[in-house]
Amino acid sequence: MSVIANLPIFDRVRNRIACATALSVLSAAIVLPGCGSESAETASVAEVQSDLLLADKPETAISLTEVAETFAPSEESEEVSVGSQEVTLTGRIDAGDFQAFQEDQATFMLSELPAEGHGADDPDHEDNCPFCKRRAANAPKAIVNMVDEAGTILPTDARKLLGVSEGDRIVAVGMATFDDAVNTITLQCRGVYVDK
């Protein structure tokens, strides 16, 4: 009689053990992919890095000012001669008083480098030289968007994606447009050489 009376208790205990086991298996199934996603993300970033980081420095990089000049109206016409074109430009990751990087996407801003041979080795030179200050104030800025083959901006912070930081000198290759109204180049970039 006592055995028969205890059967419902036994069934309840067995059900609780079965539920606990099922929850453990389910928890492991949910947690394990999360553990692997970080290494998958790291592998994905490394793969994208190898596609975007140039091994050799391009020899034909031009300044931001020179890029803007290629979009200036021709002498025969007041209209801008090109809408967009392939360029190789060089600059320093810097946005002045603003944040140079866009969080959660591979976008950053470039400023003009000092004139070649003019205080290029002195980081404080541009702040103290009237010529360089005037040149920097008049120079365009460049917004660099690191894009995939479809032209979509990559959804990873450029600092993580490229291993760059504010103040780094880079050479960037891509399709550029220029907005004269705000003196800004936008570069849909497919390759970067970091010249720290």
Side-chain angles (χ1 to χ4, degrees):
M1 182 114 177
S2 63
V3 172
I4 294 171
N6 288 332
L7 279 177
I9 294 171
F10 177 72
D11 284 340
R12 278 187 263 150
V13 170
R14 187 175 58 192
N15 285 342
R16 286 186 183 162
I17 291 171
C19 287
T21 303
L23 283 174
S24 296
V25 170
L26 183 60
S27 297
I30 292 169
V31 171
L32 289 177
C35 294
S37 67
E38 187 175 321
S39 61
E41 182 183 335
T42 303
S44 174
V45 167
E47 185 178 307
V48 172
Q49 259 186 353
S50 67
D51 291 339
L52 296 176
L53 289 174
L54 304 175
D56 300 314
K57 183 178 181 179
E59 296 178 12
T60 58
I62 59 177
S63 72
L64 304 184
T65 299
E66 291 170 311
V67 171
E69 287 170 355
T70 65
F71 289 92
S74 65
E75 292 180 10
E76 298 84 34
S77 169
E78 291 184 8
E79 293 183 20
V80 174
S81 56
V82 272
S84 66
Q85 73 176 50
E86 180 88 6
V87 299
T88 302
L89 58 79
T90 185
R92 182 178 67 239
I93 298 176
D94 175 57
D97 295 333
F98 302 99
Q99 174 62 257
F101 293 93
Q102 177 73 37
E103 290 185 19
D104 300 326
Q105 72 180 46
T107 297
F108 55 93
M109 184 155 302
L110 293 181
S111 292
E112 184 86 338
L113 290 171
E116 196 169 325
H118 185 81
D121 296 329
D122 179 7
D124 297 323
H125 175 85
E126 191 174 331
D127 295 331
N128 301 319
C129 173
F131 168 77
C132 288
K133 286 169 100 171
R134 185 171 57 253
R135 183 172 185 269
N138 294 328
K141 297 283 189 191
I143 299 168
V144 179
N145 296 316
M146 303 305 299
V147 296
D148 62 16
E149 291 179 3
T152 304
I153 301 173
L154 297 169
T156 304
D157 191 307
R159 290 167 283 199
K160 182 177 180 181
L161 185 67
L162 303 172
V164 293
S165 57
E166 196 158 347
D168 287 351
R169 295 168 181 242
I170 69 157
V171 176
V173 179
M175 290 298 293
T177 56
F178 178 65
D179 186 344
D180 187 48
V182 290
N183 198 26
T184 302
I185 301 159
T186 301
L187 185 72
Q188 301 301 96
C189 186
R190 58 179 175 74
V192 165
Y193 178 83
V194 182
D195 191 16
K196 294 188 179 186

